[in-house]
Amino acid sequence: LIINFSKGLTWSVCLIFAVLIPLSFSPWINSFGTINLGILLNAILLCFGVGFAEELIFRGWLWGELNLILGNRLGVVFQALIYSLVHIRLDLNFIDLISLLFGLFLLGLVLAVRRTLDKGSLSGCIGLHGGLVGIWFCINSGLVGFSENTPTLLVGPGGITPNPLGGLLAIFSLLTLLYFYRVALASAGLPSSGALKASCKGDAP
């Protein structure tokens, strides 16, 4: 479990660096700061709390149920689609909303790949998902300062506290991950993970 969690956490760090490194050579990051113990503790709680809760629901229960209803191939797609739609934000304009939903959809597929690679274990998904939430919370809490004119399509909607999943840098990074792990994604339709085996047997995932 610890190894899988560490692999997922490593993925999250790589994805965040894929967004920050190009921006560090641009004028849109205007400061690098520090965080206090309170912010760090909140980030850790978010990492485990959000990561565990959402992965248990979406890559655990929901994915297994969708496999039973729609079949394994459609199940993996619709769990990612529902995951993205649950996080819809009505305060965004149309373009920002579509780009954010698309980024969330891709993340849902990447998390499905992570669980497939971990042979059904959710710990890698928790590490990946929780790592993204916790680390980006630290970034938005003063670790990195974004300028107000940072292009939304590049780094994501949210102004000086952007959500990177709606930006082109994160979307490109997620698409790259899916490309390199396309074989694992294809195998998500096979009974190779704990959730899928349980679904094939009619048991709870």
Side-chain angles (χ1 to χ4, degrees):
L1 293 179
I2 296 177
I3 293 176
N4 290 340
F5 180 86
S6 299
K7 289 178 180 178
L9 189 61
T10 301
W11 275 31
S12 71
V13 172
C14 291
L15 284 170
I16 288 174
F17 273 125
V19 173
L20 290 183
I21 289 176
L23 290 174
S24 66
F25 295 98
S26 75
W28 298 310
I29 290 182
N30 53 31
S31 65
F32 291 93
T34 59
I35 55 174
N36 57 38
L37 181 59
I39 292 175
L40 181 60
L41 290 176
N42 279 333
I44 293 173
L45 290 174
L46 284 171
C47 174
F48 287 98
V50 174
F52 178 81
E54 293 202 355
E55 290 313 302
L56 187 64
I57 293 171
F58 291 103
R59 257 59 61 183
W61 170 77
L62 180 63
W63 191 5
E65 293 301 314
L66 288 173
N67 284 342
L68 291 173
I69 297 170
L70 302 174
N72 297 333
R73 298 293 180 183
L74 287 177
V76 69
V77 174
F78 273 84
Q79 63 83 24
L81 179 61
I82 294 172
Y83 169 72
S84 67
L85 292 176
V86 165
H87 292 83
I88 194 169
R89 288 181 52 180
L90 299 179
D91 60 323
L92 300 177
N93 63 51
F94 180 75
I95 294 177
D96 288 348
L97 177 61
I98 293 301
S99 62
L100 180 59
L101 291 179
F102 184 58
L104 287 164
F105 173 76
L106 293 177
L107 178 60
L109 292 180
V110 167
L111 289 165
V113 174
R114 185 68 261 166
R115 187 173 188 190
T116 302
L117 294 174
D118 293 336
K119 303 186 184 303
S121 171
L122 281 173
S123 57
C125 296
I126 294 170
L128 172 54
H129 191 164
L132 289 175
V133 172
I135 297 171
W136 201 258
F137 173 79
C138 290
I139 290 171
N140 279 339
S141 297
L143 195 58
V144 176
F146 295 95
S147 64
E148 294 183 357
N149 62 345
T150 303
T152 298
L153 283 179
L154 187 64
V155 73
I160 59 174
T161 57
N163 186 330
L165 291 175
L168 293 179
L169 290 173
I171 288 173
F172 176 78
S173 300
L174 291 169
L175 286 171
T176 301
L177 273 179
L178 288 173
Y179 175 78
F180 283 110
Y181 288 99
R182 61 194 182 281
V183 174
L185 181 61
S187 70
L190 302 175
S192 58
S193 73
L196 300 177
K197 287 181 179 177
S199 301
C200 292
K201 295 176 182 178
D203 299 328

